[in-house]
Amino acid sequence: MTLRVDEILVARDALRHPETQRILECLKGTPHRVADIEEPFRGSYDPGEKRLLRLEFHRGAFLKPCPGTRNYICCGYQVLTPAANCPLGCTYCILQAYFNRPGLRIFVNFREALDGVLAVIDNEPDRVFRVGTGEFTDSLALDALTGWNRRLMAAFSRRSNAVIEFKTKTSAVRAMLESPHRRRIIMSWSLNSPSMAAWEERGAAPLRARLEAARACQEAGFVLGFHFDPLVMHPGWREDYMRTLDLLDAYVEPGSIIWVSLGTFRFMPALKEVIRRRHPRSRVLHGEFVRGLDGKMRYIRPLRVEMLRFMSEKLKAWDRDLGVYLCMESDVVWQEAMGWTPRTSEGLSRYLDARVRKFFG
Ligand code: SF4
């Protein structure tokens, strides 16, 4: 994908940083201005509006536990944040309501902060760190500009108590394929039904292109992951999701898939207004939602169970050892949809840690 930027806003204190200067050089010709970081500004990275990129320092921890959600079973993932917000434009993206500062942000001090992140990991050799960069942005969408993934691949391939997952909706895998590293690296794709992908995932690669990229990575020796999240109720959803599962079967072998996550569409109430305003033609809000124990809006339980059971049974019929798990669901839904339950977040962590050991030792 080509990253289009209309204006760059540079935090005053980050202006002299070599990474800032390098990125400004890469985007030579794009207007930029310097501003105090707290300066309120208008604009966002929004296809159809002005695409604003901010270059700034990240002051907090770069590695943090996934925020997860209260009262549901979470997977114990660690989120690494070299950037915030995303140049893709999925209508349902939670980040639209999550960040109070709009615009795509690249944290120029990531390179030096990485040593601290690795020290945290090395300090706990008996723990398995499942780390991903694809929670607060797309893992590959900015890499042509930042080039950070090569550094991450080299660093994680030398560790024995961590894996790094690059989660994407792009097909921009060339840099990954050119890297010599495969150990401890998971290339993963978010998938949806063909109609949802085409209608709701603006800026993302078409489904077939994502799967072609996945196939190329598999053939090059990478371990793969897939994420069906959010599963969205829409007319003909069973047939539609089945089409994606058929494509998955056509493009990749199940043997090198470490995990497949499933999650039904859920959102903070504040996102509804944002979706209506920014994506008036979106269909993701069609349907009935109830407020869950964590305050997020979800489909009613029988519908969630129906979708999750459908997907897990079809995946099981394809291969019984895919590491299928549910994202942010209750013990009851696990039992009803999957026929087993890890009971707690710790139980799910143990299950996924065991998948890591199985694939990487
Ligand atoms: S790819 Fe992920 S982070 Fe980017 S807009 Fe879509 S849902 Fe949001």
Side-chain angles (χ1 to χ4, degrees):
M1 66 170 290
T2 313
L3 181 68
R4 213 192 91 194
V5 177
D6 297 322
E7 187 182 7
I8 307 167
L9 194 72
V10 185
R12 193 175 301 284
D13 56 357
L15 180 62
R16 295 278 151 242
H17 193 280
E19 189 63 15
T20 303
Q21 292 299 316
R22 197 191 59 74
I23 292 174
L24 289 177
E25 180 63 24
C26 283
L27 296 175
K28 209 159 46 184
T30 306
H32 75 271
R33 65 188 172 89
V34 178
D36 290 315
I37 190 63
E38 300 308 338
E39 177 189 311
F41 70 97
R42 301 176 67 78
S44 60
Y45 190 98
D46 188 348
E49 294 175 23
K50 190 177 216 179
R51 297 173 207 230
L52 186 71
L53 171 66
R54 296 165 60 101
L55 304 177
E56 61 188 57
F57 289 140
H58 183 42
R59 308 282 177 198
F62 274 83
L63 185 69
K64 283 190 182 161
C66 177
T69 200
R70 278 179 287 131
N71 301 310
Y72 292 95
I73 296 174
C74 293
C75 68
Y77 203 63
Q78 296 282 320
V79 180
L80 187 58
T81 313
N85 257 326
C86 180
L88 278 58
C90 304
T91 58
Y92 52 72
C93 181
I94 190 81
L95 300 182
Q96 299 171 101
Y98 196 79
F99 290 121
N100 54 13
R101 284 191 194 150
L104 178 61
R105 289 184 284 153
I106 290 180
F107 301 124
V108 293
N109 56 332
F110 178 66
R111 206 175 284 266
E112 58 263 31
L114 184 57
D115 290 340
V117 168
L118 297 172
V120 168
I121 291 172
D122 294 344
N123 261 340
E124 291 190 71
D126 297 330
R127 180 174 161 195
V128 176
F129 284 82
R130 285 173 279 107
V131 178
T133 53
E135 297 303 299
F136 293 146
T137 188
D138 183 284
S139 292
L140 304 189
L142 296 172
D143 196 49
L145 187 59
T146 65
W148 288 332
N149 286 347
R150 278 171 179 267
R151 176 100 200 274
L152 287 170
M153 291 167 93
F156 276 80
S157 70
R158 289 196 294 271
R159 297 204 139 70
S160 53
N161 64 332
V163 289
I164 184 151
E165 181 174 30
F166 295 102
K167 186 158 61 171
T168 188
K169 287 193 186 100
T170 77
S171 54
V173 291
R174 191 192 299 171
M176 318 306 275
L177 294 173
E178 285 171 2
S179 161
H181 303 293
R182 301 290 181 268
R183 272 194 82 240
R184 301 264 155 194
I185 296 159
I186 301 161
M187 295 298 303
S188 79
W189 276 266
S190 291
L191 300 177
N192 217 304
S193 74
S195 63
M196 282 294 123
W199 194 257
E200 308 287 349
E201 297 178 344
R202 282 197 297 170
L207 267 187
R208 279 178 189 274
R210 289 180 224 178
L211 288 167
E212 272 163 19
R215 174 158 65 192
C217 285
Q218 183 169 60
E219 287 172 356
F222 284 100
V223 168
L224 303 184
F226 291 98
H227 301 276
F228 287 90
D229 194 353
L231 293 164
V232 180
M233 279 277 164
H234 55 285
W237 65 265
R238 285 183 195 75
E239 298 73 22
D240 221 10
Y241 280 109
M242 201 58 225
R243 274 184 209 114
T244 302
L245 293 172
D246 287 341
L247 280 177
L248 188 61
D249 175 40
Y251 278 89
V252 301
E253 296 296 326
S256 57
I257 297 176
I258 186 168
W259 48 55
V260 180
S261 77
L262 303 175
T264 54
F265 180 45
R266 57 208 175 276
F267 56 94
M268 291 187 271
L271 186 65
K272 187 171 177 176
E273 199 278 313
V274 179
I275 295 176
R276 289 223 165 109
R277 178 167 43 81
R278 294 182 73 188
H279 314 289
R281 298 177 66 222
S282 167
R283 298 167 185 164
V284 292
L285 292 172
H286 296 182
E288 210 182 314
F289 297 92
V290 291
R291 194 183 286 261
L293 296 170
D294 55 357
K296 289 183 187 162
M297 307 306 290
R298 302 162 169 253
Y299 299 124
I300 56 171
R301 197 173 95 199
L303 286 185
R304 302 205 311 272
V305 168
E306 189 184 347
M307 285 195 107
L308 295 166
R309 187 190 289 147
F310 174 85
M311 292 299 289
S312 78
E313 284 179 355
K314 298 296 177 196
L315 285 162
K316 213 183 286 175
W318 182 42
D319 191 281
R320 299 193 72 79
D321 189 28
L322 291 171
V324 178
Y325 69 97
L326 304 185
C327 189
M328 300 183 202
E329 266 303 348
S330 67
D331 187 43
V332 177
V333 169
W334 263 91
Q335 192 61 54
E336 291 179 359
M338 304 279 283
W340 74 283
T341 166
R343 299 220 162 276
T344 60
S345 296
E346 293 70 31
L348 179 54
S349 276
R350 281 194 296 276
Y351 172 70
L352 296 173
D353 290 352
R355 296 292 297 177
V356 169
R357 291 195 191 92
K358 176 180 159 92
F359 278 79
F360 296 105

